[in-house]
Amino acid sequence: MEDISPKWLSEVLGLSVHSLQPGKLAGGIAITSELAAFNLESTAGPLSVVVKLRRPGWKMDALYTREIRFYKELASDLGDLVPTCHHIDSNDETGDFVIVLEDLSAADPGHELEGLTLKQGMAVANALGTYHGKMWRDERAAQWPHKTFTQEDGQRINERFAKQWPLLVNQGKYEIPAGLFEIVPHIAKRLPIALQKMSQGARTLIHSDVHAENLLLDDERVIFIDWQNAAFANASVDLAGLILCCDSAVQESHWRKILTSWQERVLAYGVELSEVNSAINTVPQAIVWSFVGVSSWLATFEAEKLRDAHTLQCHWRRLVSGLLTTWPHDLTISS
């Protein structure tokens, strides 16, 4: 970030930046990238920007490349659901990149500790329904990564979970309610079904990493940030993420209501009801997949800061609540 200067910003933004000062970031933990906000003194243009760079030492070129491609190829189709991209550049040889984005520090980040309220969850459901509906069966899907799982994938994921779960339990860092111990023995059988259903159905653009820190809420506007996992796949992946970042009480009482709101928005784009219900029916399965992945990751991940550790605890509680609430439901919401 030390190379970000008024001169460089003047060149890439096409205006005269006289000086810059550190600004305030909106959003939560940035694990895979470096982020910084800058307040600008300039003759015109934005008063502030956010700059995103590769995090030194991270070898995740596929994720970086995907986000760069997203802003170049798809972001304009989503309008104000994503930050405005002022500048983007990358070096294929070194893997370095820079993205200059709209500063959204005035927006309210998703509640990373408390979880989304019902009102916020409904707003996010409508926003997801908007871009899912717009991009449903989009002709560009064939050229983009997608989420499909083979039998071998299921076996590999199950084997990793079988090894990691005891580690997570023995660490004693995360509270594990009795109901979860009743569910875990059945996951090995349930996971292949989940992966099969997630691999099927109509494909649409998905964010793939919907959680509170990747959501900004500005009055009636919902903004999705961090598109490193953008793909074309079953919409249930994003819907599961939405349910899991809601407050536990919202999950327990209103998860069907939130999915109904999403359904209504997608149907407004002319999507077939059968395809919409297929995605909804897969949400509990996608939550199983999320639980397996996150719990396996948490078994060995060490938070760098106390704040991050607290955030992960809140993530875990909502993950467990979401799994217990939706297990083993299969549902269809009629129009």
Side-chain angles (χ1 to χ4, degrees), residues 4-62:
I4 305 300
S5 66
K7 179 181 178 181
W8 181 82
L9 281 172
S10 296
E11 293 174 355
V12 302
L13 295 177
L15 51 88
S16 179
V17 178
H18 305 302
S19 65
L20 55 85
Q21 297 293 330
K24 176 185 176 183
L25 279 172
I29 305 171
I31 295 177
T32 62
S33 304
E34 276 195 308
L35 288 172
F38 296 98
N39 297 321
L40 311 181
E41 181 185 348
S42 62
T43 55
L47 298 177
S48 56
V49 295
V50 169
V51 177
K52 188 169 188 175
L53 305 172
R54 169 201 286 272
R55 180 181 287 274
W58 280 76
K59 304 295 183 182
M60 304 185 75
D61 292 343

Side-chain angles (χ1 to χ4, degrees), residues 12-309:
V12 302
L13 295 177
L15 51 88
S16 179
V17 178
H18 305 302
S19 65
L20 55 85
Q21 297 293 330
K24 176 185 176 183
L25 279 172
I29 305 171
I31 295 177
T32 62
S33 304
E34 276 195 308
L35 288 172
F38 296 98
N39 297 321
L40 311 181
E41 181 185 348
S42 62
T43 55
L47 298 177
S48 56
V49 295
V50 169
V51 177
K52 188 169 188 175
L53 305 172
R54 169 201 286 272
R55 180 181 287 274
W58 280 76
K59 304 295 183 182
M60 304 185 75
D61 292 343
L63 296 183
Y64 298 141
T65 301
R66 200 178 303 185
E67 183 164 41
I68 291 167
R69 186 180 176 191
F70 167 81
Y71 278 109
K72 287 182 176 180
E73 298 180 14
L74 301 176
S76 60
D77 291 349
L78 273 60
D80 65 0
L81 291 172
V82 298
T84 299
C85 183
H86 298 300
H87 173 74
I88 190 165
D89 193 19
S90 59
N91 186 316
D92 293 338
E93 294 184 2
T94 64
D96 292 332
F97 71 93
V98 58
I99 306 175
V100 183
L101 296 168
E102 174 187 6
D103 177 23
L104 294 164
S105 57
D108 181 23
H111 291 281
E112 56 186 330
L113 302 183
E114 297 87 356
L116 300 181
T117 65
L118 175 58
K119 180 179 179 180
Q120 291 171 331
M122 296 287 283
V124 175
N126 288 332
L128 285 175
T130 297
Y131 80 69
H132 286 160
K134 283 184 176 182
M135 307 298 282
W136 202 274
R137 292 191 178 277
D138 190 277
E139 60 184 10
R140 292 166 289 185
Q143 285 74 51
W144 270 78
H146 50 88
K147 290 184 181 294
T148 55
F149 301 92
T150 64
Q151 185 175 354
E152 290 73 21
D153 291 330
Q155 182 177 353
R156 173 178 50 80
I157 295 171
N158 256 334
E159 289 176 353
R160 182 167 187 260
F161 178 68
K163 293 178 181 179
Q164 298 293 90
W165 175 250
L167 295 177
L168 187 69
V169 173
N170 292 335
Q171 285 177 0
K173 291 182 180 180
Y174 299 96
E175 181 182 357
I176 303 176
L180 191 54
F181 283 112
E182 296 177 5
I183 285 176
V184 166
H186 301 283
I187 282 180
K189 183 177 180 181
R190 183 99 172 162
L191 182 64
I193 300 172
L195 298 180
Q196 180 184 23
K197 289 192 174 184
M198 291 169 62
S199 299
Q200 298 171 344
R203 290 166 61 186
T204 187
L205 173 66
I206 64 169
H207 181 280
S208 298
D209 195 19
V210 174
H211 60 75
E213 291 79 9
N214 286 338
L215 298 171
L216 300 175
L217 300 100
D218 186 9
D219 295 326
E220 299 302 317
R221 181 185 177 191
V222 175
I223 307 108
F224 298 87
I225 61 174
D226 193 0
W227 286 86
Q228 293 181 341
N229 292 285
F232 276 84
N234 194 305
S236 63
V237 176
D238 280 355
L239 295 174
L242 168 56
I243 298 301
L244 293 176
C245 66
C246 288
D247 173 79
S248 297
V250 174
Q251 292 175 348
E252 293 167 6
S253 300
H254 301 293
W255 68 288
R256 291 178 177 84
K257 182 177 182 179
I258 289 171
L259 293 180
T260 300
S261 181
W262 171 85
Q263 180 206 49
E264 292 172 351
R265 183 57 61 94
V266 174
L267 289 175
Y269 286 89
V271 179
E272 293 291 333
L273 177 62
S274 60
E275 294 186 346
V276 174
N277 278 337
S278 176
I280 288 176
N281 275 321
T282 308
V283 171
Q285 314 290 348
I287 288 177
V288 172
W289 174 73
S290 295
F291 174 80
V292 168
V294 173
S295 57
S296 296
W297 173 67
L298 287 176
T300 55
F301 180 78
E302 293 293 336
E304 297 178 1
K305 302 175 183 178
L306 180 61
R307 180 186 68 86
D308 295 349

